Amino acid sequence: DAGITQSPRYKITETGRQVTLMCHQTWSHSYMFWYRQDLGHGLRLIYYSAAADITDKGEVPDGYVVSRSKTENFPLTLESATRSQTSVYFCASRTGQGRDQPQHFGDGTRLSIL
Amino acid sequence: QQPVQSPQAVILREGEDAVINCSSSKALYSVHWYRQKHGEAPVFLMILLKGGEQKGHDKISASFNEKKQQSSLYLTASQLSYSGTYFCGTSTSGTYKYIFGTGTRLKVLA
């Protein structure tokens, strides 16, 4: 089915471990985004990408790494997970055509770091 | 810097109206509005662009005051299905970088 999918949906890991969250979209959208959602903070932008091999920092990029070798994939890696990175992570995408196009969100990954 | 939303939370009875405000310290190019149900992904409601008209969709409409760097979402004759958290997302000119507010929790009671 067309759309945007995130995997895994749930993940539990330990501090210091590396973890990668996957995001895949089938629309060939140019723009992709990673957000984290925490109570009291709403959605905060971690990184975004305008196209393959073009990424840029958002509001809270520290501790995260992204890559975008293919248009459809935008993985987010926590190189050494910390408890403060426990959160719900949302990936989103949007077309690069027109300023009036919405972002489409994936279902989220709930990440717990023990 | 995140836009500021007000109120932080609101409780309504079915049929009542509500207004949710979104203010930014930066000059805005576009404002997006989303609604999120508990445990689900945000769902798009509408976009307002600089210089654009007020938008409306069923009983939900929004306005964008460029001079004040503010947007307001109007919920008319609220329904139970309107319950959720509402987020505004803003972008400045020349960028597709969207910054979201902290959200407004809305609860509609029967």
Side-chain angles (χ1 to χ4, degrees):
Chain A
D1 286 341
I4 183 165
T5 55
Q6 293 183 235
S7 61
R9 290 297 311 279
Y10 304 90
K11 176 75 176 178
I12 300 175
T13 190
E14 297 176 337
T15 56
R17 298 225 177 201
Q18 182 181 82
V19 59
T20 296
L21 309 184
M22 304 301 293
C23 180
H24 175 79
Q25 51 100 0
T26 60
W27 293 302
S28 298
H29 283 171
S30 300
Y31 286 86
M32 296 187 75
F33 309 82
W34 274 108
Y35 295 91
R36 61 177 290 173
Q37 185 170 36
D38 307 287
L39 196 62
H41 293 280
L43 292 156
R44 289 184 290 175
L45 182 64
I46 305 171
Y47 270 95
Y48 66 110
S49 168
D53 298 321
I54 300 175
T55 62
D56 206 350
K57 296 179 180 179
E59 304 168 88
V60 288
D62 293 343
Y64 302 95
V65 175
V66 293
S67 62
R68 192 157 176 218
S69 57
K70 292 183 178 181
T71 299
E72 61 266 29
N73 296 324
F74 191 37
L76 176 74
T77 297
L78 290 68
E79 293 193 306
S80 180
T82 64
R83 289 202 178 100
S84 65
Q85 293 176 308
T86 291
S87 186
V88 180
Y89 290 85
F90 285 99
C91 177
S93 73
R94 61 152 284 163
T95 177
Q97 303 300 317
R99 302 289 305 201
D100 61 346
Q101 297 300 309
Q103 289 183 306
H104 300 274
F105 284 83
D107 288 333
T109 293
R110 190 174 296 272
L111 178 64
S112 295
I113 300 166
L114 307 178
Chain B
Q1 189 173 2
Q2 284 183 288
V4 177
Q5 288 186 233
S6 63
Q8 289 186 324
V10 58
I11 299 175
L12 303 170
R13 293 281 178 188
E14 265 188 303
E16 293 182 339
D17 302 339
V19 180
I20 300 172
N21 299 303
C22 175
S23 297
S24 174
S25 59
K26 297 184 176 182
L28 298 178
Y29 186 88
S30 70
V31 180
H32 297 205
W33 285 97
Y34 289 80
R35 176 171 59 211
Q36 185 181 30
K37 303 278 188 179
H38 183 69
E40 299 180 6
V43 173
F44 170 73
L45 293 175
M46 63 189 74
I47 290 176
L48 298 103
L49 299 177
K50 181 179 178 180
E53 299 175 354
Q54 180 167 335
K55 289 276 187 81
H57 156 50
D58 196 10
K59 294 178 181 175
I60 300 176
S61 62
S63 63
F64 181 15
N65 187 322
E66 299 159 31
K67 289 183 179 179
K68 292 186 177 180
Q69 295 158 196
Q70 291 179 348
S71 178
S72 295
L73 185 72
Y74 306 95
L75 301 147
T76 306
S78 58
Q79 306 166 14
L80 294 175
S81 61
Y82 286 5
S83 293
T85 301
Y86 289 78
F87 292 99
C88 66
T90 60
S91 70
T92 54
S93 181
T95 177
Y96 287 101
K97 178 179 175 180
Y98 298 100
I99 305 297
F100 282 85
T102 53
T104 295
R105 294 191 310 279
L106 187 140
K107 176 76 173 176
V108 180
L109 303 176

